[in-house]
Amino acid sequence: MKHSKFALILALTVASAGAWAKLPPPSEEAKAKAEEAKVKAAETAKLEAEQLANAQNRVAEAFIRQQKAKGIIVKPTPITPPPAPAAAAPAPAPVAAAPAASAPEAKK
């Protein structure tokens, strides 16, 4: 049993050694291609978000119509979209270590 555990650990170590290798910096062409893919992904995400919102609105309107037919008045709560994330939030400044507090004095 000890040999199989050792062999497993050794195999995992050897297999993960490739992950430690440093990759060369991407070329200008690769950078441009990555930027293009990033822009395309952002546009796709925006389109999907709009389509999702439209589908949710259609479902909500159908529900309101059904409830109205039953005589129930539904007042939907407007939902505001979450705020856009900050492009690059500044890193918090390191906090200086507080001096060690002295031991509390013994009560008399």
Side-chain angles (χ1 to χ4, degrees):
M1 188 68 172
K2 286 185 179 183
H3 292 295
S4 62
K5 284 184 182 179
F6 177 74
L8 176 65
I9 291 172
L10 180 63
L12 290 175
T13 303
V14 170
S16 67
W20 294 39
K22 186 175 180 181
L23 297 175
S27 65
E28 293 297 322
E29 185 178 305
K31 286 179 185 179
K33 197 179 239 187
E35 190 65 31
E36 224 174 85
K38 187 177 179 182
V39 169
K40 185 175 180 181
E43 289 174 359
T44 303
K46 183 178 178 182
L47 177 64
E48 288 175 354
E50 289 174 5
Q51 290 174 344
L52 176 62
N54 290 338
Q56 289 173 336
N57 287 338
R58 285 193 308 268
V59 170
E61 289 169 1
F63 175 75
I64 291 170
R65 273 188 267 122
Q66 289 173 355
Q67 296 302 312
K68 195 173 195 179
K70 293 178 184 177
I72 300 171
I73 298 173
V74 178
K75 293 183 181 178
T77 305
I79 299 174
T80 58
V95 178
S102 59
E105 296 180 18
K107 293 183 179 179
K108 293 183 182 181

